[in-house]
Amino acid sequence: LVRLRARLSRSQNSLGKGLLTLLSREHLDEDTWDEIEETLLVADVGVAPTQELVERLRERVKVLGTRTPDGLRALLREELLALIGTDLDRAVKTESGLDTPGVIMVVGVNGTGKTTTTGKLARVLVADGRSVVLGAADTFRAAAADQLQTWGERVGARTVRGPEGGDPASIAFDAVKEGIAEGADVVLIDTAGRLHTKTGLMDELGKVKRVVEKHGPLDEVLLVLDATTGQNGLVQARVFAEVVDITGIVLTKLDGTAKGGIVVAVQRELGVPVKLVGLGEGADDLAPFEPEAFVDALIG
Ligand code: GDP
């Protein structure tokens, strides 16, 4: 965890440091507030949340009196935490509450880190003593099933796959069937995320969802978003949210960007919490999203 925090802070703390430096200026004039706003926008916080935060900071700085470094840090920490939300349910639901395995569907545009995230999540669950079955329903990207199977072999989870270009829904169906037959605890289904047309995507993901639900409830639909794609990622998120009910967000590649504000923007956009973050390509680089640790990394 310490290592993950270090990795997060390396790329992220320019945002918090920049804000603190600006807030510490002797004269907080309009130009400075403009710079604060710009810093937030550049970090992908999004227009509405940025305006809200600047408003709050203006109010609070006004009544603060002397602006000591510690006072400013505490104030900024509080306001960033309020913006991100500390009381959202960020636990990934892995249990169906029935006799059947918990079923998690992982969706997102290809290249965002969907398959890697599915593999890493399997690793976390297995390390936690849960038995996992993987469903390789990304039949669009040729190497995806192999990649998932490699993860499966590494962590000790069976991978259900079909022929290349096969029907994703039937693979998802078989994976859940296998999970039930084996008495597995969790079934993770990797899906294809080609945004060729919205109806195409809708048909495919909708069908996967429907066949999975023939076995029982779908417990989580995790949307994987690449944090480095900024506004583009938000547009993708919107399309997916129109197609399936997203229950949680996984923000990948946070190690490769200083634009951590996307956490705020995407939660605001979808009304769904960020539950996990990807902090690298390695097997251990998936972590629960903890607002406090994140904000501490931002502020440095
Ligand atoms: P998919 O097409 O969405 O299934 O994407 P992949 O899982 O194949 O991932 C695409 C690339 O992103 C791979 O090279 C991964 O190693 C890399 N990747 C995934 N998650 C992360 C992350 O959190 N940080 C970094 N730096 N790279 C990641």
Side-chain angles (χ1 to χ4, degrees):
L1 195 65
V2 173
R3 193 168 60 87
L4 292 180
R5 274 184 196 160
R7 182 161 305 177
L8 194 60
S9 55
R10 255 210 315 277
S11 59
Q12 296 295 334
N13 67 16
S14 61
L15 167 62
K17 284 232 173 74
L19 290 174
L20 277 178
T21 307
L22 289 166
L23 286 169
S24 309
R25 277 194 188 161
E26 200 176 328
H27 298 292
L28 275 179
D29 52 18
E30 284 310 307
D31 284 349
T32 306
W33 285 113
D34 284 349
E35 279 181 64
I36 290 172
E37 193 171 307
E38 204 179 304
T39 304
L40 290 164
L41 289 174
V42 166
D44 282 335
V45 172
V47 177
T50 292
Q51 278 164 0
E52 274 171 44
L53 182 61
V54 169
E55 230 17 73
R56 293 276 311 157
L57 291 174
R58 272 177 183 265
E59 296 279 314
R60 292 204 54 191
V61 165
K62 218 186 289 172
V63 295
L64 191 64
T66 325
R67 281 176 285 134
T68 63
D70 282 352
L72 283 177
R73 170 170 281 126
L75 188 155
L76 185 61
R77 188 176 191 277
E78 257 176 53
E79 291 302 329
L80 286 171
L81 278 175
L83 203 62
I84 291 169
T86 48
D87 52 4
L88 303 174
D89 183 6
R90 299 183 191 272
V92 174
K93 191 163 181 272
T94 55
E95 285 166 29
S96 65
L98 305 167
D99 248 1
T100 50
V103 180
I104 301 176
M105 182 167 145
V106 185
V107 306
V109 173
N110 286 116
T112 53
K114 220 169 358 80
T115 304
T116 308
T117 297
T118 309
K120 288 175 180 173
L121 185 56
R123 186 182 153 93
V124 171
L125 292 169
V126 170
D128 200 34
R130 251 80 67 83
S131 57
V132 174
V133 168
L134 297 169
D138 180 355
T139 55
F140 176 65
R141 190 162 64 86
D146 290 340
Q147 198 184 326
L148 194 66
Q149 188 163 3
T150 303
W151 274 102
E153 282 162 8
R154 221 192 287 170
V155 307
R158 184 193 300 280
T159 304
V160 173
R161 53 186 296 180
E164 206 179 305
D167 177 27
S170 88
I171 294 165
F173 183 84
D174 288 348
V176 180
K177 199 167 85 183
E178 175 72 24
I180 293 170
E182 273 188 24
D185 297 313
V186 189
V187 178
L188 299 178
I189 299 168
D190 186 20
T191 61
R194 46 192 163 141
L195 272 181
H196 49 320
T197 60
K198 199 166 98 185
T199 24
L201 182 78
M202 201 173 310
D203 286 351
E204 188 164 305
L205 289 183
K207 197 169 158 209
V208 170
K209 183 173 184 292
R210 276 196 306 281
V211 299
V212 165
E213 285 174 339
K214 282 188 184 163
H215 292 295
L218 187 56
D219 300 289
E220 281 272 7
V221 179
L222 295 175
L223 173 68
V224 178
L225 271 190
D226 177 343
T228 65
T229 56
Q231 293 306 308
N232 220 341
L234 286 186
V235 174
Q236 293 169 7
R238 216 172 292 144
V239 173
F240 276 89
E242 283 172 28
V243 173
V244 276
D245 288 330
I246 311 291
T247 57
I249 301 156
V250 183
L251 215 47
T252 59
K253 311 188 193 180
L254 262 183
D255 52 307
T257 174
K259 300 185 168 212
I262 194 77
V263 168
V264 174
V266 71
Q267 286 191 160
R268 194 60 76 94
E269 180 71 39
L270 301 187
V272 167
V274 172
K275 294 191 168 179
L276 299 168
V277 287
L279 299 164
E281 297 190 78
D284 293 325
D285 296 332
L286 183 74
F289 178 66
E290 294 170 344
E292 282 86 0
F294 182 70
V295 168
D296 287 341
L298 286 185
I299 298 180

